[in-house]
Amino acid sequence: MGGTAVVVGGGIGGLSAAVGLHRIGWKVTVLERAATLADAGAGISLHANGLRALDVLGIGAAVRAAARPQYSGGTRTPSGGLLARMDGAALARELGTPIVGIPRTALHRLLRAALPPECLHVGVTVPSVDRSAPDRVEVPTGAGVLAADLVVAADGVGSRLRGQAFPDHPGPVYSGSTVLRAITARPVELSSDFELTWGQGAEFGHIAFTDGHAEWHAVLNSPPGVRHTDPLGMLRDRFCTWHEPIPALLEATRPEAVLHHDIHELVTPLPAFAASRIAFLGDAAHAMTPHLGQGACQALEDAATLTAALADAPTVAAALARYDAERRPRAQSVARAARQAGRMGQQLSHPAAVALRNTALRLAPSRVTVRGILRHADWAPPSLG
């Protein structure tokens, strides 16, 4: 089955869906509301499930070549004490691949390179679509109307298309946490590929890249909407007593590179990941907190599963029914687990509760950490036949 698709959103989820549909012979148009493809973002860790999805989409090898394997690291206290060690080699043995770290810009470029340049359109906002016809969806673009057999709604956590299709859904809510992140302006000497540090209501982490630069992120308990005139200065003050390389990572960062976003999530699950001829994907379908590092991986799973369903099913309706049945239970389960991980990790702020958690982590064998990652990363991808 071939057809015409409009993908609303040019982020990781939208681009990966477009790559998959293009690979199985669909004519694809990607509409991105940003005026330019600035590739805003810092870094990302891809677990085995995300890499397996990229294999289905045909670009897994290219992503692995651009990424740095994460073999060493773990979770620490602000003073540097080890709470849990990440056994990257054990994960690689179990899953056939290590976790890898890659700049979001690099992943975006690899996804775009797998698409015809003419299919990408920027500066196009899609507030709604017309689903009145049974055999097509009409998408207004400002320059005209596109008729499509399928619309992929990958328009993010604040998805307008989700609000149109599910008007009674309450939409995203603030998670209680805000995140600041950046990529260093120069290489930084690091003793680990990946690390998290948990304090009271705060987390600091880093991902090392192949060129020696690193992504860092700071997740803080905070009321929504709080912004700082000097975000980097605030972080340097906030984390000045935390162990190295945290101060060094902040010192190696330009102030203008710091991104700041409040974290919103879909606490109320969507009743379906499809409505008429619209497939909801990524944050538009299951926005989750970042505490498991699974947000992008779940979007990649969405794209691979949707591609396989459309390649095999006799009709768009049948494909979307299969996509919903395969993706909704798993993605919503991962979202719940991410929320719980945040409550027991970064968001935990009471000193006694933090001390109890830290003791439990220190006593737990490393295989417990491995099992926790395997629970979400060991996903069997669909076949394109």
Side-chain angles (χ1 to χ4, degrees), residues 65-68 101-103 105-106 109 183-190 207-215:
R68 173 169 167 166
I102 187 171
T105 55
R109 289 168 188 157
I183 294 178
T184 60
R186 61 178 184 268
V188 179
E189 195 74 31
L190 297 170
I207 302 168
F209 297 141
T210 55
D211 61 0
H213 292 69
E215 182 264 7

Side-chain angles (χ1 to χ4, degrees), residues 80-284:
L82 185 65
L83 294 175
R85 183 172 67 91
M86 183 189 77
D87 191 341
L91 284 170
R93 288 192 300 270
E94 291 281 351
L95 297 170
T97 180
I99 302 170
V100 302
I102 187 171
R104 285 180 178 268
T105 55
L107 180 55
H108 284 190
R109 289 168 188 157
L110 289 170
L111 288 166
R112 289 203 304 269
L115 292 168
E118 64 272 13
C119 83
L120 297 168
H121 300 265
V122 299
V124 181
T125 298
V126 180
S128 62
V129 297
D130 184 350
R131 298 179 290 154
S132 58
D135 59 345
R136 70 181 185 278
V137 184
E138 293 187 343
V139 184
T141 67
V145 176
L146 296 176
D149 300 302
L150 172 71
V151 168
V152 178
D155 51 342
V157 62
S159 171
R160 296 183 180 185
L161 297 186
R162 183 185 62 229
Q164 179 190 5
F166 304 104
D168 295 329
H169 188 273
V173 299
Y174 182 54
S175 68
S177 299
T178 193
V179 59
L180 297 95
R181 52 194 162 195
I183 294 178
T184 60
R186 61 178 184 268
V188 179
E189 195 74 31
L190 297 170
S191 61
S192 61
D193 302 316
F194 168 84
E195 201 161 79
L196 293 177
T197 300
W198 283 343
Q200 294 179 14
E203 170 185 299
F204 196 100
H206 76 253
I207 302 168
F209 297 141
T210 55
D211 61 0
H213 292 69
E215 182 264 7
W216 58 260
H217 71 264
V219 188
L220 308 172
N221 289 355
S222 170
V226 174
R227 292 298 180 267
H228 305 274
T229 55
D230 180 11
L232 187 58
M234 179 276 293
L235 291 173
R236 287 172 175 166
D237 291 341
R238 176 71 174 76
F239 293 103
C240 65
T241 62
W242 288 36
H243 67 85
E244 290 292 354
I246 293 171
L249 288 164
L250 295 173
E251 186 61 33
T253 302
R254 296 190 182 100
E256 64 272 17
V258 179
L259 305 172
H260 187 180
H261 297 98
D262 289 344
I263 300 170
H264 291 80
E265 58 173 328
L266 290 186
V267 174
T268 302
L270 275 188
F273 280 8
S276 299
R277 288 175 173 259
I278 303 176
F280 291 88
L281 182 148
D283 283 350

Side-chain angles (χ1 to χ4, degrees), residues 15 18-23 26-30 37 110-121:
L15 289 174
V19 169
L21 294 176
H22 174 67
R23 189 179 187 200
W26 280 58
K27 180 181 178 182
V28 183
T29 301
V30 180
L37 293 170
L110 289 170
L111 288 166
R112 289 203 304 269
L115 292 168
E118 64 272 13
C119 83
L120 297 168
H121 300 265

